[in-house]
Amino acid sequence: MDSLNALANGFAIALTWQNLMLALIGCLLGTLIGALPGLGPSNGVAILIPVVFSLGLPATPALILLTSVYYGAMYGGRISSILLNIPGDEPALMTTLDGYPMARAGQAGEALAISGISSFVGAFFATWGLVFLAPQLVDLALLFGPAEYFAMFTLAFATLGGVTSANQAKAAFAAAIGLALAFVGVDGQTGVPRFSFGNVHFYDGIDFLIAIVGMFALSEVLVFIEERGNANSTSTQPVTSIGRAIPPWSMIKQTSGSMTRGTLLGFIAGVLPGAGASLGSFLAYTVEKKVVGKKGNFGKGDPRGVAAPEAGNNAAAGGALIPMLALGVPGSGTTAVLLAMLLSLNITPGPLLFTNNPDVVWGLIAALFIANFMLLLLNVPMVGVFARVLRIPSYYLMPAVAMISFIGIYALTNSTFDLMLMIGFGVLGWLFRKLNIPMVPVILGILLGELMEKNLRRALTISDGDMSILYGSPLAVTFLAMAVAGFVLPIFIAKFVTPKRVVEQAHNDGTSD
């Protein structure tokens, strides 16, 4: 009942005209960003963070805007997947398997509507899970000491690659770079500059907002410049006719079980650190294919092959907010970006967030419910309008992304050095994309590296330098064991569960019958 009372107070905050307008704007922008291939929720949120600070929004309205963009982008990713056979982001990859065949068969409107309804179901019930599970996780986190926090951060870094990573070594390399960058600046305990190379601009450390905007937004611009717009000239024929936008009741009834199973699997994947929406979408699709068996038409236009992954990836998006808010450990790349924004507002996610800033957390959760209904009302009847965004040439879009990035960061820091640093991170992000090295571990290393170091120092200070304190409690041992398992197991099982491999197999199955 305490959670429901707090949620009621959150609705009182979220239902102000300002917050309702920000939620609506976020839903619209998020759907448009998600519909554009390549951008995705992480890039969308990263691009808008400088805008949020330029507008001087307080914590609650800023979070409402950015999380609405997050949820909207998860909805919007299905549009290009179904109409172009190009996923808007990686979680939407599984939707191409049956969404595009449905569109080619004249059922584009029905596929888009089913995916919109499934996205609503997944996100709606995941938000309820956030209401009831996050406070319970907070109660558990209050038992943590510095050793347990250090072990938990170790778990977060060890599982960043997840079972969908192509190479765990690359994920570990990226995390090491992020941790190294976190040590730049004046040591808070000794007052000695570290890795500053005599440059006073580095004394305050590296601002994670600069790293985020550079690695996500600017690297996207650099990739486009390298390809010279060739991404627009795809051999895939776009579906221009939407057709019937409201699916028949029989189709909704047929896919209801798929939505339920996808929501449950996606939510579990979202709560797990490092798993995220990609794993949620993959698990939902593969399990549904096993459940339906030979009765299905998967890979050739089965509506259940659209409903399951869409419910899964949107449920995972909501589930990923739980460890971010309750523990301060992001469950996905986008929640890592949101974590950076919270920290820059001097709000520390974790067990004390629900006590010290209840208006922020419960106002946010209430706004997520409102955003879900807004997205359902926007995405089903107006799907044809959003589909037209796919006609925007990238050579118009990318200069706008670069302009927002530069103006936003300069307005935030008033430093030309930070602009040069942002360009450096953009080049680093471009190199990482070329080498297939994940960028999220770098960001997470910059975000959590200082906290990880502080908890390690506190633990060793308490034990007078005895390292056994790091594995001296059942919780710490559990986290460390999970960290080892989370890093080692994907090396052996990733080749069996990589979504892209499943996509290729499904396409082959569809053409060989």
Side-chain angles (χ1 to χ4, degrees):
M1 291 300 294
D2 290 340
S3 295
L4 294 178
N5 291 333
L7 181 62
N9 295 330
F11 273 105
I13 297 170
L15 288 173
T16 62
W17 282 110
Q18 181 195 30
N19 290 337
L20 285 174
M21 286 302 299
L22 288 173
L24 179 60
I25 292 170
C27 291
L28 285 168
L29 290 176
T31 304
L32 295 174
I33 289 169
L36 293 168
L39 284 183
S42 299
N43 289 334
V45 174
I47 291 168
L48 289 177
I49 282 181
V51 177
V52 167
F53 283 101
S54 299
L55 295 174
L57 292 177
T60 303
L63 263 184
I64 288 174
L65 174 62
L66 293 181
T67 51
S68 297
V69 171
Y70 177 26
Y71 268 31
M74 297 303 295
Y75 272 72
R78 76 199 200 286
I79 296 175
S80 58
S81 297
I82 292 171
L83 298 181
L84 296 180
N85 201 28
I86 302 173
D89 54 4
E90 190 174 350
L93 186 66
M94 308 307 294
T95 308
T96 63
L97 298 181
D98 287 279
Y100 186 66
M102 284 185 68
R104 298 298 293 171
Q107 295 180 301
E110 295 173 352
L112 288 165
I114 282 293
S115 65
I117 295 170
S118 303
S119 297
F120 170 79
V121 171
F124 180 76
F125 286 103
T127 308
W128 276 114
L130 177 61
V131 169
F132 293 109
L133 187 57
Q136 304 303 320
L137 200 58
V138 166
D139 293 338
L140 175 64
L142 292 175
L143 303 175
F144 288 12
E148 286 76 18
Y149 272 111
F150 176 78
M152 184 178 66
F153 290 139
T154 303
L155 169 64
F157 284 110
T159 56
L160 278 174
V163 296
T164 59
S165 174
N167 193 316
Q168 286 289 87
K170 289 181 178 180
F173 171 73
I177 290 180
L179 286 171
L181 292 173
F183 298 146
V184 174
V186 176
D187 185 356
Q189 184 168 325
T190 64
V192 176
R194 300 186 298 184
F195 307 110
S196 64
F197 304 103
N199 192 326
V200 295
H201 291 98
F202 286 127
Y203 280 14
D204 290 331
I206 293 176
D207 192 326
F208 36 71
L209 294 179
I210 295 171
I212 287 171
V213 175
M215 294 197 74
F216 284 95
L218 278 191
S219 67
E220 191 71 39
V221 176
L222 293 175
V223 169
F224 169 74
I225 292 173
E226 180 194 19
E227 296 176 353
R228 297 181 181 179
N230 288 336
N232 289 327
S233 58
T234 173
S235 60
T236 302
Q237 294 298 316
V239 177
T240 56
S241 177
I242 300 298
R244 177 175 178 170
I246 304 298
W249 173 250
S250 59
M251 185 178 290
I252 296 176
K253 184 178 179 181
Q254 179 191 22
T255 56
S256 60
S258 305
M259 297 180 195
T260 303
R261 287 184 287 270
T263 297
L264 179 61
L265 291 169
F267 181 73
I268 294 172
V271 174
L272 296 174
S278 298
L279 181 62
S281 173
F282 160 75
L283 286 177
Y285 185 88
T286 52
V287 169
E288 192 61 28
K289 188 175 181 181
K290 294 291 184 183
V291 170
V292 176
K294 295 182 179 179
K295 297 179 182 179
N297 195 29
F298 284 80
K300 299 178 182 179
D302 195 312
R304 290 166 291 192
V306 174
E310 282 301 311
N313 67 38
N314 282 273
L321 290 170
I322 294 177
M324 192 271 280
L325 293 173
L327 301 176
V329 176
S332 67
T334 312
T335 52
V337 178
L338 291 171
L339 174 65
M341 198 218 51
L342 274 175
L343 292 173
S344 62
L345 290 169
N346 295 320
I347 295 176
T348 304
L352 296 180
L353 176 64
F354 286 75
T355 302
N356 296 341
N357 303 98
D359 54 329
V360 173
V361 66
W362 290 109
L364 166 64
I365 294 173
L368 292 177
F369 281 109
I370 296 170
N372 273 323
F373 282 98
M374 286 181 175
L375 285 165
L376 180 66
L377 295 175
L378 288 171
N379 275 267
V380 175
M382 294 178 59
V383 70
V385 176
F386 288 119
R388 292 189 179 94
V389 76
L390 300 175
R391 301 176 185 175
I392 299 176
S394 293
Y395 51 78
Y396 290 139
L397 179 68
M398 290 304 164
V401 170
M403 180 187 69
I404 292 172
S405 301
F406 277 96
I407 293 176
I409 289 297
Y410 188 76
L412 185 63
T413 65
N414 294 315
S415 170
T416 55
F417 178 82
D418 288 339
L419 294 181
M420 299 301 294
L421 189 60
M422 181 180 67
I423 294 173
F425 275 108
V427 174
L428 180 64
W430 172 77
L431 287 173
F432 273 32
R433 289 180 182 224
K434 296 284 288 182
L435 299 173
N436 292 320
I437 298 174
M439 294 185 292
V440 171
V442 179
I443 302 300
L444 201 59
I446 298 173
L447 284 174
L448 300 181
E450 183 180 0
L451 290 173
M452 190 175 185
E453 181 188 17
K454 285 182 178 178
N455 281 285
L456 175 61
R457 281 180 164 177
R458 287 170 183 166
L460 294 178
T461 300
I462 293 171
S463 67
D464 197 21
D466 186 359
M467 296 288 289
S468 64
I469 192 175
L470 300 178
Y471 49 87
S473 70
L475 268 177
V477 171
T478 301
F479 284 140
L480 291 174
M482 291 172 63
V484 173
F487 185 80
V488 174
L489 288 180
I491 297 175
F492 300 100
I493 66 175
K495 63 180 180 180
F496 301 108
V497 298
T498 301
K500 292 181 180 179
R501 185 179 297 272
V502 176
V503 170
E504 294 172 359
Q505 181 182 357
H507 283 311
N508 291 336
D509 291 344
T511 56
S512 61
D513 289 342

